[in-house]
Amino acid sequence: PTSLSYKEFRGGGAQKPLWFCTHWWGEIVLDFIACVQEHARCRLLSQASYWICGYALRQNYVDGEGDFKLDALEQSAFYKAMVMSKGSLLVVDPGAHVFKRIWCDFEIYVNL
């Protein structure tokens, strides 16, 4: 690929996700970061790799990884990351908007 995701750039290359994050992008970013940090603290993780779509996807490279085809969702980067991950982290905002988003519902369904 000719571009890197933010995660690849900061992490020095591709990394296998240990935790897949489901959230709705409407929460305050600092609240989201606090949830991820608390998740790591509760599990005594000094180093952990989280898959967060906005940072894990290559924003300028859409050949394949960003393509969503309803008849082939298992080919999406989201699905592949969920299958590779050790577990998932569901970040629920005060209004529980995450449950009102169809893509978030799909992620929850796959992770159950």
Side-chain angles (χ1 to χ4, degrees), residues 49-68:
S49 178
Y50 289 86
W51 199 91
I52 302 164
C53 65
Y55 307 120
L57 292 175
R58 296 178 185 137
Q59 300 298 320
N60 297 318
Y61 180 74
V62 294
D63 187 24
E65 78 173 17
D67 296 342
F68 303 114

Side-chain angles (χ1 to χ4, degrees), residues 15-60:
Q15 300 175 22
K16 180 181 177 187
L18 294 178
W19 299 95
F20 182 91
C21 292
T22 295
H23 67 110
W24 79 290
W25 283 113
E27 72 273 341
I28 296 169
V29 174
L30 292 177
D31 290 346
F32 173 75
I33 292 168
C35 287
V36 174
Q37 289 174 330
E38 181 65 9
H39 178 266
R41 188 193 69 75
C42 287
R43 282 155 186 77
L44 305 174
L45 305 172
S46 61
Q47 295 286 331
S49 178
Y50 289 86
W51 199 91
I52 302 164
C53 65
Y55 307 120
L57 292 175
R58 296 178 185 137
Q59 300 298 320
N60 297 318

